[in-house]
C-alpha cells in the first residue's frame, strides 16, 4: 500500500497503459480494481494537499473512516516523506499558459555597423525561455538592451522586488 | 596608377585602415562607381543646381520623402534622368560614408583632401564639408542613419504582483506570483508568469550584466586607438 502511495505521489501525470499493466501484475489486481485503488489513493492525497494536513492528522482522519490501521499508517508515512514537496509543487503551479523557464544572456561590445563606424558600445542580449503549456517547446525571446535601457529595466525589477518584500 | 605623391604612405591617417597603401581615404581603397561618376558629372553643374541637389540628398539621408523636389530639379535644370541618377546617388553615398565616421577622429582637412583628389570643384567641397562638419549635419532621428539591424528592444513593460489566496488544489495557498507583459520594438508582445525564484534569478543576472558593462566601460579595451 505504501509503495503504491509513493508511486502516486511521485507521478507527475497519470500512469500510462504500460505502467498500469506493470502495476496490475505487481499487485495482482484486475484492471477495474487497480483503477479503483489508484483513484482512491489520488483522492485521499488531493484532499491532504488541499487542507495541508499533517501526517498525524491524516492518519487520524483515515482511521476515523475505518480504514485499516496498517493502511492508514502507510499513508501517513508516505505523506511524511513526500507531502511537503507535493504541496510545494502544487503551490508553484500556474494557471497562465506561459511561464518563464530559462534565462540566458550575452554581453557584446559592438565595434561598428553598416551605419556607424568605430562604436564601442556595450550591448546586452537577454534570452528568455518561455514555456507554453500547449506546445511543450520553449519559445526563445531575444531582447537587446543598451546600457541605459538595461539600467531602466533593472530599476523596474527593483520596484517589483520592493512590492514582493512588502508582502512578507 | 601612380600619383604624384612621392612618399606613398606618408600622410598619417586618423581613419586607420581605410587609408592604407596609397588608397583613396575615407571612401576606402575602391571609390564607389557612383561617386566617381558624380565627381566627373558635377563639373558641368552650376552652383545653384548643385545646391538644390545637395539639399535633396540631405533630406533623403534624414529619411524624408523627396520625390517632388527631384521632379522639380529634373524639370528646371537641364539634366537627363541618367545624369540626375548618378549625381544624386553619388552624393548620397559620399555623404553616407562620411557620416559613418565619428567626428572625434575624422577631421575636416582629411575629408577636403580626399574630395580634392576626386577632382570635385572647390566650392562644392566647401558645401559638402558644411554638411558633414557644420551645423547642417543631418540629425539622426528618423533618418536613414539609424541602425536597422538590431534585435528587438523593450518598448513597453508592464507587470503585476498577485498573491493566490486559494486554488482548486490548495485551500490556503498564499503564494505570490509575478505576471509580466513585454511589448517589443518589432511589434511582438509576450505575456508570461514569472515564478518568484525565477524572478530572483532574472534580477541577479541583470545586475550582473550591469556590473560587467560598467567594468567593460572602464577597462582599457575601450582605449583602443581609433
Amino acid at each position: 500500500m505504501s509503495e503504491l502511495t509513493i508511486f502516486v505521489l511521485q507521478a507527475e501525470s497519470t500512469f500510462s497503459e504500460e505502467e498500469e499493466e506493470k502495476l496490475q501484475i505487481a499487485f495482482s489486481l484486475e484492471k477495474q480494481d487497480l483503477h479503483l485503488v489508484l483513484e482512491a489513493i489520488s483522492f485521499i492525497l488531493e484532499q491532504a494537499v488541499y487542507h495541508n494536513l499533517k501526517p498525524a492528522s491524516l492518519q487520524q482522519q483515515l482511521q476515523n473512516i475505518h480504514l485499516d490501521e496498517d493502511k492508514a499508517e502507510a499513508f501517513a508515512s508516505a505523506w511524511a516523506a513526500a507531502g511537503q514537496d507535493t504541496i510545494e509543487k502544487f503551490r508553484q503551479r500556474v494557471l497562465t499558459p506561459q511561464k518563464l523557464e530559462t534565462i540566458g544572456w550575452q554581453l557584446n561590445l559592438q565595434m561598428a555597423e553598416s551605419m556607424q563606424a568605430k562604436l564601442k558600445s556595450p550591448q546586452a542580449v537577454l534570452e528568455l525561455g518561455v514555456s507554453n503549456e500547449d506546445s511543450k517547446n520553449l519559445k526563445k525571446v531575444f531582447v537587446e538592451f543598451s546600457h541605459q535601457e538595461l539600467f531602466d529595466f533593472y530599476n523596474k525589477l527593483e520596484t517589483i522586488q520592493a512590492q514582493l518584500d512588502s508582502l512578507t | 596608377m601612380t600619383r604624384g605623391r612621392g612618399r606613398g604612405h606618408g600622410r598619417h591617417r586618423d581613419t586607420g585602415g581605410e587609408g592604407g597603401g596609397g588608397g583613396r581615404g575615407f571612401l576606402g581603397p575602391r571609390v564607389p562607381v557612383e561617386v566617381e561618376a558624380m565627381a566627373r558629372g558635377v563639373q558641368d553643374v552650376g552652383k545653384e543646381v548643385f545646391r538644390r541637389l545637395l539639399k535633396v540628398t540631405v533630406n533623403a539621408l534624414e529619411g524624408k520623402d523627396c520625390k517632388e523636389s527631384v521632379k522639380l530639379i529634373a524639370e528646371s535644370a537641364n539634366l537627363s534622368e541618367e545624369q540626375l541618377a548618378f549625381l544624386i546617388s553619388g552624393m548620397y553615398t559620399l555623404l553616407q560614408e562620411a557620416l559613418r565616421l565619428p567626428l572625434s577622429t575624422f577631421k575636416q582637412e582629411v575629408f577636403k583632401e580626399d574630395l580634392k583628389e576626386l577632382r570635385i570643384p572647390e566650392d562644392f567641397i566647401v558645401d559638402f564639408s558644411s554638411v558633414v562638419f557644420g551645423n547642417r549635419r543631418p540629425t539622426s532621428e528618423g533618418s536613414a542613419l539609424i541602425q536597422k539591424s538590431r534585435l528587438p528592444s523593450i518598448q513597453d513593460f508592464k507587470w503585476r504582483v498577485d498573491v493566490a489566496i486559494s486554488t482548486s488544489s490548495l485551500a490556503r495557498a498564499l503564494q505570490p506570483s509575478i505576471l509580466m507583459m513585454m511589448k517589443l520594438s518589432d511589434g511582438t508582445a509576450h505575456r508570461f508568469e514569472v515564478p518568484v525564484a525565477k524572478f530572483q534569478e532574472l534580477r541577479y543576472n541583470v545586475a550582473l550584466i550591469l556590473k560587467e558593462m560598467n567594468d567593460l566601460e572602464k577597462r582599457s579595451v575601450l582605449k583602443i586607438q581609433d
Side-chain angles (χ1 to χ4, degrees):
Chain A
M1 173 52 64
S2 68
E3 288 137 18
L4 208 51
T5 311
I6 295 193
F7 260 142
V8 175
L9 272 171
Q10 286 169 353
E12 289 286 336
S13 53
T14 46
F15 295 112
S16 69
E17 273 296 326
E18 272 179 46
E19 288 166 331
E20 280 197 16
E21 275 171 31
K22 284 193 199 139
L23 287 172
Q24 273 182 260
I25 297 168
F27 294 102
S28 42
L29 288 169
E30 289 298 322
K31 193 167 176 138
Q32 239 73 313
D33 296 331
L34 180 68
H35 275 194
L36 195 58
V37 171
L38 287 176
E39 275 186 38
I41 296 179
S42 300
F43 178 76
I44 293 172
L45 293 173
E46 275 166 27
Q47 289 299 304
V49 166
Y50 188 77
H51 295 285
N52 195 6
L53 292 175
K54 298 275 185 303
S57 183
L58 176 64
Q59 189 170 355
Q60 187 59 52
Q61 303 258 359
L62 290 174
Q63 280 168 339
N64 288 352
I65 57 169
H66 307 300
L67 193 63
D68 292 342
E69 196 175 313
D70 55 344
K71 296 198 176 62
E73 234 179 83
F75 266 106
S77 61
W79 191 241
Q84 276 308 111
D85 290 340
T86 311
I87 290 181
E88 199 49 44
K89 236 188 250 167
F90 274 97
R91 274 232 176 88
Q92 300 292 345
R93 263 212 202 150
V94 296
L95 285 177
T96 47
Q98 304 199 326
K99 190 164 99 159
L100 181 64
E101 302 271 5
T102 61
I103 298 164
W105 57 268
Q106 207 183 65
L107 176 60
N108 300 321
L109 187 64
Q110 189 177 33
M111 298 306 288
E113 53 169 7
S114 45
M115 288 302 156
Q116 268 251 278
K118 299 190 187 118
L119 274 173
K120 291 186 294 218
S121 69
Q123 311 268 7
V125 177
L126 214 55
E127 179 199 279
L128 302 172
V130 178
S131 72
N132 201 324
E133 217 169 70
D134 308 328
S135 68
K136 299 291 169 212
N137 310 347
L138 218 55
K139 176 175 70 166
K140 295 274 169 89
V141 181
F142 292 95
V143 192
E144 188 176 312
F145 295 89
S146 65
H147 195 155
Q148 185 59 42
E149 286 167 346
L150 194 63
F151 189 65
D152 294 338
F153 185 60
Y154 183 70
N155 283 333
K156 294 191 177 130
L157 294 182
E158 284 291 286
T159 309
I160 299 178
Q161 183 61 43
Q163 290 302 324
L164 287 175
D165 292 338
S166 71
L167 288 175
T168 52
Chain B
M1 166 157 76
T2 52
R3 302 209 121 242
R5 286 181 290 138
R7 274 169 291 140
H9 298 267
R11 195 156 81 217
H12 173 65
R13 294 253 176 204
D14 285 333
T15 50
E18 279 137 23
R24 296 293 191 124
F26 79 95
L27 285 168
R30 280 228 189 118
V31 178
V33 172
E34 65 270 25
V35 176
E36 276 192 345
M38 183 269 297
R40 283 194 298 271
V42 93
Q43 319 266 347
D44 311 318
V45 166
K47 195 164 174 143
E48 172 64 39
V49 177
F50 173 81
R51 288 240 164 108
R52 288 165 74 188
L53 288 170
L54 189 61
K55 188 147 186 274
V56 163
T57 311
V58 172
N59 283 342
L61 283 167
E62 285 182 334
K64 300 188 190 138
D65 184 19
C66 349
K67 280 200 286 271
E68 286 304 316
S69 346
V70 175
K71 242 194 274 178
L72 281 171
I73 299 180
E75 285 160 15
S76 61
N78 215 345
L79 295 166
S80 70
E81 220 177 271
E82 197 191 322
Q83 284 173 302
L84 208 55
F86 65 68
L87 279 173
I88 294 184
S89 62
M91 288 164 77
Y92 187 90
T93 303
L94 182 94
L95 286 175
Q96 192 181 55
E97 286 306 308
L99 289 167
R100 269 189 87 230
L101 304 169
L103 286 173
S104 50
T105 48
F106 185 43
K107 296 301 170 207
Q108 196 168 18
E109 303 79 46
V110 175
F111 178 68
K112 285 186 169 169
E113 277 277 345
D114 289 341
L115 291 192
K116 237 189 259 174
E117 285 193 24
L118 288 168
R119 314 278 183 86
I120 293 178
E122 188 68 37
D123 287 349
F124 299 169
I125 295 184
V126 171
D127 285 339
F128 275 129
S129 223
S130 71
V131 171
V132 178
F133 296 94
N135 48 13
R136 280 165 65 199
R137 192 177 170 99
T139 51
S140 24
E141 280 164 23
S143 75
L145 302 168
I146 299 181
Q147 180 183 8
K148 295 245 166 61
S149 51
R150 278 194 83 185
L151 282 172
S153 55
I154 292 189
Q155 204 165 57
D156 188 34
F157 177 62
K158 291 200 174 81
W159 55 268
R160 51 186 262 184
V161 173
D162 292 318
V163 178
I165 297 177
S166 186
T167 71
S168 48
S169 328
L170 292 161
R172 269 288 166 276
L174 295 177
Q175 181 70 7
S177 65
I178 302 161
L179 193 66
M180 285 190 185
M181 209 202 73
M182 283 185 187
K183 271 207 198 108
L184 300 182
S185 56
D186 64 352
T188 56
H190 303 274
R191 191 187 341 138
F192 50 88
E193 173 146 356
V194 183
V196 178
K198 271 287 162 235
F199 174 74
Q200 304 300 356
E201 197 184 312
L202 180 65
R203 208 171 126 246
Y204 171 74
N205 277 295
V206 172
L208 186 61
I209 305 172
L210 276 172
K211 177 184 171 300
E212 299 254 342
M213 265 190 183
N214 274 321
D215 289 347
L216 191 62
E217 279 164 0
K218 289 194 195 122
R219 243 191 268 161
S220 58
V221 158
L222 287 184
K223 299 194 187 113
I224 296 172
Q225 283 305 328
D226 285 332

